[in-house]
């Protein structure tokens, strides 16, 4: 069963206990602001952050654990992997540091240890070690108001839609993460627009790996096709040259 | 032949400089040597070293296709230099990758860990295989030097046609797949460059660039070694390039018009300007020049046109590789260290090229080795008139010196501050809403707390002992304007700030804040020992005056576990509680419908027995610390 996190922005009080719990659970170091940080609070030492918006709204940012993750599809060695339970995990032993995942992520989530001599990609792994043995992630466990909660994705979607239906005036009628880039395992309910969490012009709907799929599927055809064309071309030219030579030979005696 | 020697000298200088920078990159990491950041994780090295490098090396497969497949025998003089350039080009690409990758020693992982969905996986494999193919294609050349290897050479020559064919097939794949890399980021790449047929565009432009690179290289070597120019051959290449460039231009423009992006070209922003410049330099102007048969047979026009295509197409790869970003907040300009390393890699490849051409049969007429001529004048150092040895030794000495000196300069040029600060930005401080205190990120993990900064420093601001209660503004204050260094450790590397818990050190007990050194210091309170301590008695805290003797209006800690009227500051728990709880208690009385605000269990939830949960009110004397995160060691107390 695919697990997921549902975050209700209207319930978040911005206490940052999730951030703190995440740091403890993953043994992350104290954070130092760096010139290469983005301004959303995420960093190599902060796998989740809380963004403050106007009107005392707090939006938790973390890896969205896409159902069809772009990062996992582009990783040349498969260091990133979408597990059956829903988490997109990272295997630092496989990683070679190409940072293609960071380029490909539509939410701009993965962070890099730019200051380290042996750097790795850093991102939320949905507390894979905990959820695998039936516990819930550190962040949802720490939340004092129940703003962010853990469960089966289908059930959380039901919960989200029930909340919207029960309180249509309170929420924007949309569950963020239900359809974006093919659906994500981290869902949001909100009364403010959450499109700032992704890049501006992301066409909604289709999962990103589909963008490369067509090109990648045509690779064998291009390979064989180019070989065939070249072989054919070579054969034709050789044959023509041979015929030219033979004709020349034939012509020679006639010329004499 | 001074031209060759001087060029080599410059190349050695650049190589040495880059080697020093590269050493620093491996010791200190990517953050201090590059301007790469979390918004633009790919930069100049990917754009120039890898993407442009692979495209520049396209001359190899284009030339072999012309010669071996299309049987255009007249191009024979260009085949060997083109294959050599391609081989060295791919080695340079790999070198560039080894610098750019975060974990370069894992580069071989692509061989054992497979992810066939990844375009990069495919590019990596193609580059690996094609570099091997190029090595096999080229190795007959050095092998022909000695008859001893004739059998190996004959064996390789037998497979030359299949190798050429395989090389073309592999090149087709990865030249286009470099474009496929960017298909997954439509939100990142500016729409003028993003296209669903980016792989096709990349392939066509690589063919054009390959033709022009072969031409460019012929022109350079002609200039460098004062060789007979191959003007008519280069003219033919230029003629072919017109067709390829035309196809490229039509494909690109049709795609832009079909996608409805034509208007973006004349938007007037910097991206549209960049696009116009790129198209003009890489395609339109050279195409117009070479379309005239008379012009393309002129060697000067060949120079201008081919270098324009080379520069323009390299610009195109850099644009796609990270320069033409859609996100306006992403700012990236390559650091000088990135550019230095890239130039160093190109220089090293050029040196290798010159080395091979001077020793093996690359050109129809081998360039004269200046050092083997019997009549070369002896080499003297210009300034000291010292004989530098036979010419070969002399040039070796010069080149070694150039490398070593520029290596040293490279080491000296490393910005020390950046190395030690490791890119630390200033600490985030903002004003708390509605309160005249600062909000500081106490332990720098975005956990902002209200921090009475002024109160921390204000007491005894003027170095005067307060004489009336009005002077004393706060109970917890440091020693005036000298107190900055208590928290702002200006003497520590990286200008690290003290975190809250470094003073409020104990979780529950109070901490000693008395600053003995400041009181005794001539720059501080200028007190003599006997001013505080009773003369003749062992000097301890007990034998000293009480604080209140000098600071009569000092407010001592009155809350917290074991509050004592001594020179103590709040424990961490108390300090943190004071920040949250004091407000919560007040608000609970005001906000009628949220009585729970003042309950311990509102914040301390996990593990509290249900029977205790209901009635617990804030009571400082009861230690209740479920799920409280210790700041210093990061442990959760249960």
């Amino acid at each position: 069963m695919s697990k997921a996190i549902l975050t209700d922005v209207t319930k978040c009080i911005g206490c940052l206990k999730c951030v703190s719990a995440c740091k403890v659970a993953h043994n992350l170091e104290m954070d130092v602001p760096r010139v290469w940080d983005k301004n959303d609070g995420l960093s190599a030492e902060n796998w989740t952050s809380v963004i403050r918006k106007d009107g005392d709204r707090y939006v938790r940012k973390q890896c969205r654990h896409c159902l069809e993750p772009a990062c996992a599809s582009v990783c040349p060695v498969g260091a990133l992997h979408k597990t059956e339970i829903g988490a997109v995990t990272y295997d630092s032993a496989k990683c070679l540091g190409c940072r293609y995942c960071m380029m490909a992520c539509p939410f701009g989530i993965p962070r890099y240890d730019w200051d380290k001599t042996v750097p790795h990609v850093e991102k939320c792994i949905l507390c894979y070690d905990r959820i695998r043995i039936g516990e819930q992630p550190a962040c949802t466990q720490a939340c004092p108001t129940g703003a962010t909660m853990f469960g089966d994705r289908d059930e959380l979607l039901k919960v989200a839609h029930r909340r919207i239906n029960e309180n249509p005036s309170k929420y924007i009628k949309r569950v963020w993460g239900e359809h974006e880039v093919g659906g994500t395992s981290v869902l949001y309910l909100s009364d403010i627009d959450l499109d700032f969490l992704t890049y501006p012009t992301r066409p909604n709907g289709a999962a990103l790996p589909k963008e490369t799929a067509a090109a990648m599927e045509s690779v064998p055809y291009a390979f064989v096709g180019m070989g065939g064309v070249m072989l054919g071309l070579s054969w034709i030219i050789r044959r023509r040259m041979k015929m030219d030579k033979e004709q020349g030979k034939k012509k020679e005696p006639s010329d004499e | 032949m001074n031209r060759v020697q001087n060029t080599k000298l410059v190349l050695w200088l650049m190589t040495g400089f880059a080697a020093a920078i590269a050493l620093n990159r491996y010791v200190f990491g990517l953050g201090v040597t590059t301007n790469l950041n979390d918004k633009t994780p790919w930069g100049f090295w990917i754009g120039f070293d890898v993407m442009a490098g692979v495209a520049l090396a396209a001359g190899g497969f284009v030339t072999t296709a012309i010669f071996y497949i299309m049987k255009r025998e007249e191009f024979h003089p260009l085949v060997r230099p083109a294959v050599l350039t391609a081989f060295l080009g791919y080695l340079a690409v790999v070198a560039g990758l080894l610098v750019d990758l975060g974990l370069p020693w894992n580069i071989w992982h692509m061989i054992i860990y497979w992810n066939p969905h990844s375009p990069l996986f495919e590019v990596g494999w193609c580059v690996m295989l094609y570099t091997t193919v190029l090595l096999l294609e080229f190795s007959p050349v050095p092998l022909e030097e000695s008859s001893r290897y004739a059998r190996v050479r004959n064996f390789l020559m037998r497979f030359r046609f299949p190798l050429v064919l395989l090389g073309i097939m592999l090149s087709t794949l990865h030249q286009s797949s470099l474009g496929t890399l960017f298909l997954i980021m439509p939100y990142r790449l500016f729409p003028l460059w993003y296209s669903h047929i980016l792989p096709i565009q990349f392939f066509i432009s690589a063919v054009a660039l390959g033709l022009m690179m072969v031409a460019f290289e012929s022109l350079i070597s002609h200039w460098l070694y004062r060789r007979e120019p191959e003007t008519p051959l280069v003219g033919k290449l230029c003629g072919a390039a017109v067709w390829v460039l035309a196809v490229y231009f039509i494909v690109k423009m049709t795609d832009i018009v079909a996608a409805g992006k034509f208007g973006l070209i004349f938007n007037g922003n910097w991206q549209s300007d960049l696009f116009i410049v790129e198209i003009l330099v890489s395609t339109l102007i050279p195409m117009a020049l070479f379309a005239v048969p008379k012009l393309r047979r002129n060697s000067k026009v060949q120079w201008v046109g081919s270098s324009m295509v080379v520069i323009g197409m390299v610009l195109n790869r850099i644009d796609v590789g990270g320069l033409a970003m859609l996100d306006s907040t992403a700012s990236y300009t390559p650091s000088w260290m990135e550019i230095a390393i890239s130039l160093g890699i190109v220089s090293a490849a050029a040196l290798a090229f010159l080395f091979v051409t001077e020793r093996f049969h690359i050109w129809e007429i081998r360039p004269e080795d200046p050092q083997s001529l019997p009549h070369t004048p002896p080499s003297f150092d210009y300034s000291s008139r010292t004989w530098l040895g036979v010419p070969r030794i002399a040039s070796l000495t010069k080149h070694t010196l150039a490398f070593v000196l520029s290596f040293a300069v490279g080491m000296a040029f490393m910005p020390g501050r950046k190395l030690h600060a490791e890119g630390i930005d200033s600490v985030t401080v903002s004003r708390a809403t509605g309160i005249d205190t600062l909000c500081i990120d106490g332990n720098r993990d975005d956990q902002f707390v209200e921090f009475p900064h002024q109160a921390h420093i204000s007491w005894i601001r003027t170095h005067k002992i307060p004489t009336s209660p009005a002077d004393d503004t706060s109970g917890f204050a440091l020693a005036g304007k000298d107190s900055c260094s208590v928290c702002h450790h200006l003497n520590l590397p990286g200008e690290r700030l003290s975190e809250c818990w470094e003073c409020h050190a104990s979780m529950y007990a109070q901490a000693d804040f008395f600053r003995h050194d400041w009181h005794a210091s001539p720059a501080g309170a200028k007190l003599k020992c006997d001013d505080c301590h009773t003369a003749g008695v062992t000097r301890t805290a007990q034998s000293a005056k009480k604080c209140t003797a000098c600071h009569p209006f000092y407010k001592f800690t009155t809350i917290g576990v074991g509050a004592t009227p001594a020179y103590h500051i709040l424990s961490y728990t108390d300090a943190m509680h004071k920040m949250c709880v004091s407000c919560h208690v007040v608000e609970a009385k005001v906000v009628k419908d949220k009585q729970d605000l003042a309950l311990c269990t509102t914040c301390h939830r996990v593990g509290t027995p249900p029977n205790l949960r209901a009635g617990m009110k804030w009571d400082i004397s009861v230690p209740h610390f479920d799920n409280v995160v210790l700041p210093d060691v990061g442990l959760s107390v249960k």
Side-chain angles (χ1 to χ4, degrees), chain B residues 167-202:
Chain B
I168 295 168
M169 289 154 80
L170 288 170
S171 293
T172 313
L173 285 200
H174 70 263
Q175 292 287 0
S176 54
S177 287
L178 280 174
T180 315
L181 287 186
F182 295 87
L183 287 184
I184 203 158
M185 36 191 109
Y187 46 84
R188 191 180 266 278
L189 201 58
F190 196 79
L192 277 175
W193 281 273
Y194 184 83
S195 155
H196 290 287
I197 55 161
L198 207 55
I200 297 169
Q201 292 180 5
F202 262 49

Side-chain angles (χ1 to χ4, degrees), chain B residues 561-621:
Chain B
V561 182
T564 47
Y567 45 88
H568 283 158
I569 48 172
L570 299 181
S571 71
Y572 188 83
T573 316
D574 291 336
M576 292 298 134
H577 269 149
K578 203 180 168 190
M579 279 165 189
C580 311
V581 179
S582 53
C583 210
H584 272 228
V585 171
V586 173
E587 289 294 316
K589 286 173 187 157
V590 181
V591 188
K592 291 288 175 230
D593 60 331
K594 294 221 166 143
Q595 291 294 317
D596 284 0
L597 271 179
L599 290 179
C600 306
T601 46
T602 304
C603 297
H604 302 271
R605 285 161 60 89
V606 183
T608 313
N611 56 336
L612 281 179
R613 279 194 179 206
M616 268 169 80
K617 294 269 183 213
W618 292 115
D619 179 2
I620 295 301
S621 62

Side-chain angles (χ1 to χ4, degrees), chain B residues 416-446:
Chain B
R417 200 197 148 271
K418 205 182 173 193
L419 281 187
H420 294 303
E422 290 177 358
I424 290 175
D425 211 353
S426 55
V427 173
T428 334
V429 175
S430 63
R431 227 165 249 295
T433 32
I435 311 164
D436 191 28
T437 47
L438 295 174
C439 246
I440 65 156
D441 188 4
N443 40 13
R444 300 175 184 231
D445 56 356
D446 255 4

Side-chain angles (χ1 to χ4, degrees), chain A residues 65-156:
Chain A
H65 299 278
C66 308
L67 298 185
E68 289 177 65
C71 56
S73 89
V74 300
C75 180
V77 290
L80 290 151
H81 175 58
K82 175 82 177 173
T83 53
E84 271 186 26
I85 202 165
V88 177
T89 56
Y90 170 68
D91 185 351
S92 61
K94 283 184 181 175
C95 180
L96 44 85
C98 69
R99 309 186 293 282
Y100 194 7
C101 49
M102 303 175 70
M103 289 292 284
C105 177
F107 301 101
I109 296 294
R111 291 294 184 273
Y112 208 58
D113 294 326
W114 295 107
D115 55 329
K116 300 216 171 95
T117 311
V118 183
H120 290 118
V121 173
E122 307 273 354
K123 75 166 199 70
C124 161
I125 53 169
L126 205 66
C127 285
Y128 181 61
D129 290 344
R130 295 163 70 110
I131 62 174
R132 201 172 40 173
I133 54 170
E135 287 183 24
Q136 61 169 319
C139 52
T140 53
Q141 190 174 23
C143 184
T145 63
T148 184
M149 52 198 270
F150 178 74
D152 288 336
R153 187 170 186 269
D154 301 339
E155 306 227 329
L156 286 180

Side-chain angles (χ1 to χ4, degrees), chain B residues 514-529:
Chain B
F514 176 72
R515 291 178 62 213
H516 188 274
D517 57 342
W518 181 82
H519 279 86
S521 144
K526 297 183 213 164
L527 294 174
K528 297 191 179 62
C529 303

